[in-house]
Amino acid sequence: MISTRLKVKELLRERRWTTKVLAEKTGMSESYLTHIKNGTRRWNEDALKKLAGAFELDPTDLFEHSRTRTDNINAQVNISEELLAKQATNPELKLNVVPVMGQIPANPSEYNNQMMQIATGYKDQFVPVFGNADNTMFCLAIEDATMAPNFVKGDLLIVSPGTWTNSGDIVAVEYGNENPVRSIMQINFMDDFIVLESVNHKKAPIAIVRGKDTFRIIGKVIYKYQKLA
C-alpha cells in the first residue's frame, strides 16, 4: 500500500513556513491544515490541489514514501491475446490505458483518477481497454465478496462515465442526502423513481425519488476482467 499521509509538516519545516502562512496561501483554515499536517483528518481532492499549488509541487510529490512516477505505463500493462487479436483485425481501435483503484472516485477525470489510484494503493497499475476513447474511465478493483457471485474479490470492473446508461445497466452511483454512498448497483428508471438494486439482488432495492433525493450516476460498467482461479 502507498501511504496516503501527506508530508505537509516536513514541507513546512523545509520552507520555514507556519501553518498560518500555508492557510493564507491555500485559503484553507489553520485548524483544518493542522489536522492534515498531523494526520488526524482525511484530506480531499480539492485540498490536495491547493496544497500542491502552494508548495509548487506535483500532487504525487506530497505523499509520504511516494515512488517516482513512470511515463512508460504501457510497459506495465498485460494485454490479453483476445484484445491483441481484436486490434489486429481492426487497427483503428483506440487503446486506452485505464488506472486501477480501490474506490469509486467522486468526480472521475484523468487527474482525479490518478489521485484516487495513489490514495487507494494501486499506483502504477493499469489495464488496457480497446475501442473506447473515454479518458475519464477508471478500473475498480473488487476487494471483498459483497457482490458475489456476480463480482468476486480480485475482479476488475471498467467504468466509463462517458457511456450512456439504460435501465438494467450496472453502474457506479452516488446516493444519499446526508451521508452520500458510492457503490456499484443495477439501475432501473421509472416515471417518478429511480430504483437501485444490489448486483446480486441480496439486499432490498432502494427507491430514489426524482427531484427530491440526492443521486447521480458516476459511470457505467462496460467490461469486467474476471479473476482466474
Side-chain angles (χ1 to χ4, degrees):
M1 293 282 288
I2 299 299
S3 171
T4 60
R5 185 184 174 97
L6 303 182
K7 51 186 181 183
V8 173
K9 186 180 294 186
E10 294 84 347
L11 290 168
L12 287 175
R13 189 183 302 116
E14 287 177 7
R15 287 163 172 73
R16 298 184 178 180
W17 292 354
T18 64
T19 307
K20 182 178 180 180
V21 170
L22 186 59
E24 292 172 352
K25 290 179 176 291
T26 60
M28 294 187 284
S29 70
E30 287 186 61
S31 61
Y32 180 48
L33 288 170
T34 298
H35 279 299
I36 293 179
K37 180 178 70 174
N38 295 330
T40 55
R41 187 171 174 183
R42 186 76 167 84
W43 50 267
N44 57 31
E45 294 169 3
D46 183 58
L48 191 65
K49 291 179 183 179
K50 290 178 180 178
L51 288 168
F55 289 119
E56 297 183 343
L57 294 172
D58 188 282
T60 59
D61 293 329
L62 293 177
F63 291 95
E64 287 188 350
H65 312 300
S66 61
R67 292 175 288 172
T68 303
R69 183 181 175 183
T70 175
D71 292 321
N72 187 25
I73 59 176
N74 289 321
Q76 302 176 49
V77 178
N78 293 319
I79 302 177
S80 69
E81 293 183 4
E82 177 187 355
L83 290 176
L84 287 172
K86 185 182 292 186
Q87 188 184 40
T89 57
N90 188 351
E92 294 184 359
L93 282 178
K94 177 180 173 60
L95 170 63
N96 206 329
V97 179
V98 180
V100 178
M101 58 198 66
Q103 295 177 24
I104 300 169
N107 297 291
S109 69
E110 289 184 284
Y111 177 89
N112 291 341
N113 292 351
Q114 179 191 352
M115 293 300 100
M116 183 62 78
Q117 181 184 37
I118 294 169
T120 56
Y122 288 88
K123 189 173 187 287
D124 294 337
Q125 294 187 42
F126 302 86
V127 294
V129 176
F130 282 103
N132 191 316
D134 181 5
N135 60 7
T136 64
M137 279 191 294
F138 60 92
C139 177
L140 179 66
I142 304 302
E143 298 180 329
D144 56 40
T146 56
M147 292 187 283
N150 303 69
F151 303 137
V152 300
K153 185 177 180 179
D155 284 351
L156 301 174
L157 305 184
I158 305 298
V159 181
S160 172
T163 299
W164 189 260
T165 301
N166 297 302
S167 280
D169 287 341
I170 305 297
V171 295
V173 296
E174 181 179 81
Y175 63 91
N177 295 334
E178 295 183 0
N179 298 300
V181 174
R182 293 198 292 273
S183 184
I184 299 294
M185 308 281 281
Q186 183 178 50
I187 191 167
N188 290 286
F189 298 100
M190 299 183 180
D191 291 339
D192 300 318
F193 299 92
I194 296 171
V195 178
L196 301 176
E197 296 186 70
S198 60
V199 172
N200 54 16
H201 304 290
K202 291 184 177 180
K203 296 180 180 179
I206 298 169
I208 304 294
V209 180
R210 291 182 183 270
K212 180 181 178 181
D213 295 324
T214 302
F215 164 80
R216 64 192 180 95
I217 298 172
I218 295 175
K220 176 181 175 179
V221 176
I222 61 170
Y223 192 80
K224 175 178 76 170
Y225 285 93
Q226 192 168 16
K227 177 183 178 182
L228 298 177

